[in-house]
Amino acid sequence: MLLLASASPRRTELLDLMGIHHEVVEQKFDEDSVKDLDPIVCSQNIVKGKNISARQLLVGSPKENLPILTADTLVFTPSKEIVGKPKDYDHSRKLLREFSGKVHSVFSTVMISNCDREIVRTCETKVSFKMMEDAEIEEYVLSEEGVGKAGAYGIHGPAGKYVTNIEGSYTNVVGLPIHETYEILKELDLA
């Protein structure tokens, strides 16, 4: 049994698609406490913090020694800013305007730990957006499709129509790079 310390329905769906039996558990790590400017370091420190938090919350329970998967997805904008979920509509508009007609990077880090070992992998995907019209940006923001999603959009939904190209893992942009996750699971004899 694998424990997933994430409330993301997309991560649950991706693990289900992989045929990985898992159970969602809580973690209470404050992602805003990580201030690293390098997107890889930032993402890795967030997943480590989430993993430690989840493990601490399980102390004394029958699940405390089960393997825990944590993941984090963040976006590195063309102006070299790390962003997670948008703060509000104005922040969403700003991000979509910045992505419009340009390429940005999406980083997802996956960590799986068990009692005696932990493995961390980070995946980068480059995403190109079409030149979006103001009306398209406004329609997307008001649809609330981007709420709670890194970079203010979900590639697996209506925002996919604005993506002209991706270089790298599609599932990374959705929130859990399947290949990297599978390789970690194999290395830990969990798949």
Side-chain angles (χ1 to χ4, degrees):
M1 161 95 77
L2 177 70
L3 302 178
L4 171 64
S6 173
S8 167
R10 292 164 300 284
R11 290 188 181 123
T12 290
E13 288 166 14
L14 289 169
L15 285 173
D16 285 343
L17 287 172
M18 292 172 66
I20 303 298
H21 181 64
H22 64 282
E23 182 180 322
V24 175
V25 294
E26 211 176 359
Q27 61 81 20
K28 295 187 178 190
F29 182 70
D30 177 13
E31 295 179 34
D32 294 332
S33 68
V34 177
K35 304 293 183 195
D36 300 285
L37 298 178
D38 178 290
I40 295 172
V41 173
C42 182
S43 184
Q44 290 179 350
N45 285 336
I46 290 171
V47 296
K48 288 174 185 175
K50 288 178 176 181
N51 207 286
I52 290 165
S53 171
R55 181 107 16 232
Q56 288 170 342
L57 291 172
L58 291 168
V59 170
S61 83
K63 299 175 189 169
E64 75 176 312
N65 294 319
L66 293 175
I68 298 174
L69 183 152
T70 49
D72 184 64
T73 301
L74 54 81
V75 173
F76 198 52
T77 68
S79 64
K80 309 296 183 214
E81 177 189 2
I82 296 171
V83 293
K85 300 172 183 104
K87 298 175 191 94
D88 53 31
Y89 284 171
D90 286 338
H91 190 211
S92 294
R93 287 182 190 98
K94 176 185 176 285
L95 290 171
L96 293 172
R97 280 191 194 100
E98 185 168 359
F99 300 155
S100 181
K102 297 185 186 114
V103 178
H104 64 275
S105 290
V106 176
F107 292 89
S108 287
T109 296
V110 179
M111 175 179 175
I112 301 178
S113 71
N114 59 23
C115 296
D116 57 352
R117 199 163 165 213
E118 64 183 47
I119 301 175
V120 179
R121 296 243 166 79
T122 302
C123 181
E124 177 184 8
T125 303
K126 294 188 182 299
V127 180
S128 304
F129 266 53
K130 74 173 232 121
M131 185 60 72
M132 294 176 72
E133 298 169 12
D134 286 344
E136 290 172 319
I137 291 171
E138 194 63 17
E139 176 186 25
Y140 188 75
V141 169
L142 295 179
S143 76
E144 298 195 350
E145 275 290 323
V147 171
K149 296 181 176 102
Y153 73 94
I155 195 169
H156 55 290
K161 65 187 173 191
Y162 306 124
V163 175
T164 59
N165 190 50
I166 66 166
E167 230 178 278
S169 168
Y170 170 81
T171 58
N172 174 50
V173 185
V174 177
L176 186 71
I178 285 180
H179 172 72
E180 287 75 6
T181 302
Y182 174 67
E183 289 299 321
I184 296 172
L185 289 166
K186 268 181 49 181
E187 221 172 302
L188 294 171
D189 292 323
L190 298 170

